[in-house]
Amino acid sequence: NYRRGRIRIRVTAGSFQISNTSLLPEIPAEKLFMRLHTSREASESSNGLGLAIAKKIVDVNALKISYHWQDGEHMFQLEHR
């Protein structure tokens, strides 16, 4: 995120959604859950282990994770399968 950016959290009976503003572009689908993938735009920014660990937790618990990027916001949603 960046200074004066925003983080949104939305919870419903069947889903959890979190989104944040970012100056970084959309994360390509094939690199979304790769460990330690870094962006060319910012050497300090990385998906690191976070998304890879999140994906493993989702898989083990029979959940579904989806990602969407729109208008400078990265959005992740978790749902029951």
Side-chain angles (χ1 to χ4, degrees):
N1 211 332
Y2 53 82
R3 187 177 177 107
R4 303 215 188 262
R6 70 180 166 269
I7 296 173
R8 290 189 238 194
I9 299 171
R10 184 174 153 229
V11 179
T12 67
S15 71
F16 172 81
Q17 184 182 67
I18 187 164
S19 62
N20 69 283
T21 52
S22 177
L23 297 175
L24 297 176
E26 179 175 12
I27 304 169
E30 68 275 5
K31 296 182 179 178
L32 188 59
F33 298 109
M34 289 178 62
R35 292 178 181 211
L36 305 173
H37 171 70
T38 57
S39 169
R40 291 182 183 199
E41 284 77 14
S43 60
E44 294 178 13
S45 296
S46 165
N47 294 344
L49 291 173
L51 292 179
I53 291 170
K55 176 70 169 136
K56 190 66 165 177
I57 291 168
V58 164
D59 291 345
V60 166
N61 290 285
L63 299 170
K64 175 184 168 189
I65 188 169
S66 58
Y67 166 76
H68 182 70
W69 184 88
Q70 182 177 341
D71 300 326
E73 269 192 61
H74 297 277
M75 295 171 258
F76 292 89
Q77 182 163 323
L78 297 171
E79 298 175 275
H80 293 284
R81 287 189 194 187

